[in-house]
Amino acid sequence: MTPAPLRVAVLGAGTVGREVARALVERAGELSAAAGVPLELVRIAVRDLARARDRGIPTALLTDAPAHLVAADDTHVIVELMGGDEPAHTLIAAALGAGKAVVTANKHVIAHHGPSLEAAARRTGAALRFEAAVGGGIPVLGPLAAELAANRVTAVCGIVNGTTNYILTAMADEGRDYDDVLAAAQAAGYAEADPSGDVEGHDAANKLVILARLAFGVWLDPSDIVLSDDAGPGHGRPGISGVTAADVAAAAAAGATIKLVAEARRGPDGRISARVVPVALPAETALARTAGVLNRIEVEAEPVGTVAFSGPGAGGAATSSAV
Ligand code: NAP
Ligand code: HSE
């Protein structure tokens, strides 16, 4: 006998949400939870119903009342893909409080409210999963939590923002203008609703908080992460906002490539230092060669040594696979 389905509500049908919804509808037979329990997409919440219909989402699946989906007796799993702080935070907290499993790609909410959400999940026994919040389609949190668990991590370091890497790559390879490339990254669905979060390093800092939680077992405060470096190619401005075409060209002439590098490192005293700053890396290194929307995360750990994860760091289709 087929077990009763897990009823899934998706909050948000934008770049990621509509790909998740599409997968749940078109590949329902392939996608199942543990022990072969089928997944059933019951509803999708959006703000603008007409826009969602224009994007091809069946009217019968749509609602503009996400809180009702969270409260409904017949939803078991809440997939939050709205983004931003509120109402996403309150909806996730309510779902966990009601004992419902939550899957989210929302790095802002996890980085800023992780400790209380984790406590709520523990209290009710609900699962809270956020693999898609870091590295788009790259499986990295799962391996950190499980397969690498016997190691003592000393550092996590890498490129964790697709938008800024796409911009820096296009500036370096094609000599394109910053604003023009940012517009292309937005059109491709890589950038956040407010792209200043990408460009100024906050999105990468949120991801670094999450990586540090899995790597070191501590929640860093996002506001403690260093976002600028007077001595680096960002000229003391946050993220890549201070990097100019002339900086990119000068780095190339010197055999280097500018990348926005996120790094959290455990010092000899056990304290974790964390920064997200642009760095001119030797062009032949794997991080420097990580191009376009790709991300790469390197984990330094004992006794394994260095392990690296790379792949598509943003975009609806890739991210939907991690969700
Ligand atoms: P998006 O394209 O802006 O889509 C957001 C969706 O949420 C839209 O359908 C929007 O509805 C809906 N929404 C927003 N606020 C709402 C509200 N108050 N009530 C009901 N619906 C609401 O965002 P996205 O790019 O898919 O990103 C979603 C999440 O995934 C974010 O947390 C983002 O950081 C994360 N993420 C994105 C990527 C990526 O490559 N895009 C990769 C990894 C993680 P309307 O369209 O009606 O406004
Ligand atoms: N805006 C994010 C990025 C989306 O460009 O990396 C993926 O988290």
Side-chain angles (χ1 to χ4, degrees):
M1 198 175 79
T2 313
L6 268 183
R7 293 169 61 85
V8 180
V10 176
L11 315 185
T15 302
V16 182
R18 65 175 177 267
E19 290 297 330
V20 170
R22 188 208 308 272
L24 287 169
V25 170
E26 293 179 2
R27 296 169 53 214
E30 285 166 56
L31 300 174
S32 62
V37 177
L39 300 173
E40 181 187 345
L41 175 63
V42 288
R43 276 297 182 85
I44 306 169
V46 296
R47 239 177 335 213
D48 185 334
L49 294 167
R51 183 162 51 192
R53 273 188 223 108
D54 290 347
R55 287 170 171 171
I57 300 182
T59 306
L61 285 175
L62 286 170
T63 174
D64 57 3
H68 288 182
L69 297 184
V70 170
D73 286 338
D74 63 346
T75 56
H76 307 129
V77 180
I78 303 299
V79 180
E80 186 280 308
L81 299 169
M82 301 190 321
D85 192 70
E86 291 294 355
H89 168 225
T90 297
L91 292 165
I92 292 172
L96 294 172
K100 298 186 185 190
V102 171
V103 178
T104 179
N106 192 327
K107 48 273 164 126
H108 172 91
V109 162
I110 298 298
H112 287 78
H113 307 286
S116 63
L117 293 176
E118 210 173 56
R122 283 216 187 92
R123 230 175 5 253
T124 61
L128 171 61
R129 295 288 182 270
F130 40 87
E131 178 67 67
V134 180
I138 306 170
V140 60
L141 302 184
L144 269 174
E147 287 83 0
L148 289 167
N151 291 274
R152 186 171 190 274
V153 178
T154 48
V156 279
C157 173
I159 293 166
V160 293
N161 182 270
T163 300
T164 46
N165 205 50
Y166 181 86
I167 293 172
L168 290 172
T169 303
M171 287 172 77
D173 293 357
E174 301 160 36
R176 284 171 69 189
D177 181 62
Y178 178 101
D179 292 325
D180 168 41
V181 192
L182 173 58
Q186 288 177 290
Y190 302 153
E192 297 300 303
D194 175 0
S196 66
D198 294 292
V199 172
E200 296 182 0
H202 302 288
D203 178 78
N206 289 338
K207 290 165 176 165
L208 192 57
V209 168
I210 297 170
L211 284 167
R213 171 70 186 94
L214 274 298
F216 305 118
V218 296
W219 283 108
L220 302 178
D221 184 334
S223 64
D224 287 341
I225 294 184
V226 174
L227 293 181
S228 61
D229 175 11
D230 289 341
H235 308 285
R237 302 264 311 274
I240 67 164
S241 62
V243 178
T244 64
D247 296 322
V248 171
T257 307
I258 297 176
K259 294 292 183 187
L260 184 64
V261 177
E263 181 179 56
R265 187 168 289 278
R266 194 199 313 252
D269 59 358
R271 289 174 50 161
I272 313 293
S273 59
R275 45 197 257 137
V276 174
V277 294
V279 180
L281 299 168
E284 70 282 2
T285 58
L287 273 182
R289 286 188 278 109
T290 300
V293 75
L294 295 180
N295 283 189
R296 180 181 174 89
I297 297 132
E298 298 178 346
V299 179
E300 295 171 27
E302 294 291 337
V304 69
T306 299
V307 176
F309 301 85
S310 66
T319 305
S320 75
S321 73
V323 173

